[in-house]
Amino acid sequence: MQIKIVHQEDKTEYRFKVNAADKLTSAEVKRICLKMGVKALLVNGKYYSIDRQ
């Protein structure tokens, strides 16, 4: 499955392959955050953070 995330500040659009958009794994969160240069994500109304798994 592929998800699309738009960076809140610079409006850059990112696309990532994940197993399930409603339940990201800690490895997926880390990979996405590193690629986007952020520490937290909001995906489908769920908050994910590198610091809080």
Side-chain angles (χ1 to χ4, degrees), residues 6-33:
V6 178
H7 194 287
Q8 186 175 357
E9 292 179 352
D10 63 19
K11 307 302 182 208
T12 303
E13 187 177 292
Y14 295 88
R15 293 181 187 271
F16 300 98
K17 286 190 177 185
V18 296
N19 289 332
D22 291 334
K23 190 172 182 182
L24 299 180
T25 66
S26 58
E28 290 170 337
V29 171
K30 185 175 181 178
R31 177 174 49 92
I32 293 169
C33 285

Side-chain angles (χ1 to χ4, degrees), residues 5 29 32-33 36-43 46-51:
I5 303 174
V29 171
I32 293 169
C33 285
M36 293 181 69
V38 297
K39 291 186 177 186
L41 304 168
L42 188 63
V43 179
K46 291 188 179 180
Y47 178 80
Y48 298 95
S49 171
I50 291 177
D51 301 327

